[in-house]
Amino acid sequence: MKLLYTLFIFLLINTVQAQQTITRDPFITGMLEEVSAANLEQSVRKLVSFHTRHTLSDTLSKTRGIGAARSWIKAEFERYNKDNGNKLQVQYDSFVQPADGRRILEPVVLKNVVAILPGTAPADKRMLMVCGHYDSRVTDVMNSKDFAPGANDDASGVAGVLELARIMSNETFQTTIVFVAMVGEEQGLYGAAHLAKKARDEGWDVHLLLNNDMIGNSYGMETDLKDNSRVRIFSEGVPAAETKEQASLRQATGGENDGNARQAARYIKETGEKYVDHLEVKLVYRKDRFLRGGDHTPFSAQGFTAVRITEMNEDFNRQHQDIRTENGFKFGDLPEYVDYTYLQKITRLNLAVLANLGLAPAPPQYPVLITSTLTNKTALKWTAPGGKAPAGYYILIRETTSPFWEKKFFVAETSAEIPYSKDNYLFGLQAVDAAGHESLIVVPKPGK
Ligand SMILES: [Zn+2]
């Protein structure tokens, strides 16, 4: 009896602790409702209709090949622009990709398709970027002729980006949002590498890049796993572009799990699960799948915060496969195998993150963890960001062994002292406005 009673109290405490107050911004939920599975399916099927979107395929035909595909994507962005009050800047990001002796045998003109929704705060130079890749392939990566539908890889990602541009370009955000359909992913991430280098050379402030590559498959055939309620976020740990000073600070503070991409991944989990029903955002602490890469990789290499968003289960009978039937089984990345309501959920996840960040104040500036005296309390200070004024700040705390933030203290001032030792906990800081839009998380640096 006593044991049962103890168990009951234990369950009660745990239930109470598990309760969370969720307040969704009706403006954002309104946009989420606009994300249409039917539109997403239409875009995927249209992209498949170009027969192949291989990077080296035909550029002259109006109906087949990569040239027709990129014209259609550009025309779609232009259509949203016209319908939504001409706020989008639609353009090709064209460049000559030299031969690499491997997957590009002679120089070729490649074009990313870009639509920019300028932010309304001129002083706020931050850019939020979201991308998918529109090129496709079959088994032989050099085959530019055969039917390469690429419905899930990655018409799903491009369809998501188009739907986000359609909905978001009808609204205004203080931060600039950039929608991109990348080229050349399958040949060696060439479109993303070009755009990431251009962003670095031209001093763009890329605050976050969300790379959506394969976001529509909910069935893993080999393992017979059906999963339309989870999605993976891959984030790098030790930053690829880390300087010597950053490396020694990381080693001195145990910051190997607290790089910008990890913080962004935690942010995506919190925001996505707050706004999208029946979606668990699973964080994988690895820059991409085992030994693999994607269009976020060149952005990480240039020092930007970039993550990959991908379905929970990949289906290798569909990915990069020649379209064929063997022993009654149909191989190939065909549109009938895409789960469009799952794709809708992942598009909503992107929208929730972009909208929250697009409306949030910038993160706290010059965050310092004060180390002038030895104490078991932790004193923090920072400066208010320019642009939209925050209503206050969150101090985030977690155990050093915990993957996620565990406690969140609200303070209205730009300094605080809390009774948790910096020897035993990790700390982060966020700015938040009165409506609850939170900035990305910054880690305070030791200082005076
Ligand atoms: Zn892909």
Side-chain angles (χ1 to χ4, degrees), residues 56 98-106 140-142 184-190:
L56 308 176
D100 66 0
R102 214 171 59 95
R103 291 184 173 192
I104 304 275
L105 299 181
E106 49 193 72
D140 173 6
V141 71
M142 298 307 288
E185 198 270 352
E186 306 290 6
Q187 306 312 112
L189 315 177
Y190 287 126

Side-chain angles (χ1 to χ4, degrees), residues 133 153-154 185-186 213-214 308 320:
H133 70 87
D153 185 11
D154 181 32
E185 198 270 352
E186 306 290 6
D213 196 348
M214 297 189 291
R308 180 193 186 107
H320 304 174

